[in-house]
Amino acid sequence: MNNSNIFHPVTTHRMTAQLPVTEYIARFYCPDCFLNLCAECHNYGQRYTCPPFDYDVLERISHYSIATIIGVQIIPEEKDLPLSAAQEIMTPLIRSLSDELLCEEQRTGGLSFGFACGCMWCGHLPCARLSQEPCRHPDKMRPSLEAYGFNLTKTAEELLHTPLLWGTNNQLPAYLMLICGIFD
């Protein structure tokens, strides 16, 4: 499918995988590794989309049956774009996927997972967590799978059959990847 955002035309490829939640946890849940990486980030404890959470993650997800993992490979048509273009390229797709996930969550009674880039619902306002106030959009804000401790590199390779690429020399890789999901 071809998508265009205002500044950078892109081609996208969507892929999905489904498996039991218990299997996804057994194969891809690595909290010791990934939550330690989260703790090194400047957003740790600063956003409601980031750990630490005030609830037990496994308790929250263990009663769901099926994990649907969604990946969107984003291939910019322009080459040699700077890393700084990534957010501009991904934001329209993140908005669209977030709306889709929230609709599916409401339809099924499931739990959706957003993106590591954080919450987009407050715009330019700082997260209310900084001032110890309740989330302004608890009906929309969703943490990412990696914020819960899931290994998305392994998820991308084994379930979506598409390795994650990383930029080098301040240049975007050949493609970007968004990974989200819903547990039903």
Side-chain angles (χ1 to χ4, degrees):
M1 105 174 85
N2 285 326
N3 288 316
S4 292
N5 61 29
I6 295 171
F7 302 106
H8 302 286
V10 298
T11 300
T12 60
H13 299 287
R14 184 178 176 135
M15 50 214 94
T16 60
Q18 284 190 326
L19 68 165
V21 169
T22 53
E23 183 181 342
Y24 190 62
I25 291 169
R27 289 176 56 195
F28 300 96
Y29 184 65
C30 306
D32 291 340
C33 177
F34 292 96
L35 296 181
N36 286 337
L37 290 173
C38 284
E40 295 176 17
C41 176
H42 68 278
N43 290 322
Y44 184 81
Q46 304 295 304
R47 296 179 176 177
Y48 282 115
T49 55
C50 297
F53 299 109
D54 62 357
Y55 51 85
D56 183 283
V57 167
L58 285 179
E59 186 177 304
R60 186 169 197 170
I61 62 175
S62 63
H63 70 278
Y64 294 103
S65 301
I66 300 295
T68 301
I69 308 302
I70 302 163
V72 178
Q73 182 186 44
I74 307 162
I75 305 165
E77 292 179 13
E78 298 172 63
K79 302 303 174 209
D80 300 320
L81 288 171
L83 283 174
S84 59
Q87 194 65 37
E88 184 181 298
I89 289 169
M90 292 187 304
T91 296
L93 294 162
I94 289 170
R95 289 185 191 283
S96 175
L97 281 168
S98 294
D99 289 342
E100 179 184 330
L101 287 168
L102 290 171
C103 286
E104 185 67 12
E105 181 185 275
Q106 195 170 40
R107 186 184 73 74
T108 65
L111 176 66
S112 63
F113 294 88
F115 305 95
C117 60
C119 177
M120 65 179 183
W121 303 108
C122 288
H124 296 294
L125 292 175
C127 183
R129 188 172 184 179
L130 287 171
S131 56
Q132 299 174 352
E133 297 172 31
C135 177
R136 294 179 195 98
H137 302 281
D139 57 324
K140 296 178 181 177
M141 183 282 303
R142 297 295 181 271
S144 64
L145 287 162
E146 58 263 57
Y148 267 37
F150 287 100
N151 182 336
L152 292 193
T153 299
K154 186 176 176 184
T155 296
E157 290 173 0
E158 293 183 20
L159 295 181
L160 304 174
H161 311 290
T162 307
L164 298 181
L165 300 180
W166 307 100
T168 57
N169 300 322
N170 201 33
Q171 299 292 302
L172 284 181
Y175 60 84
L176 301 168
M177 190 79 169
L178 291 173
I179 300 175
C180 56
I182 187 162
F183 290 7
D184 292 315

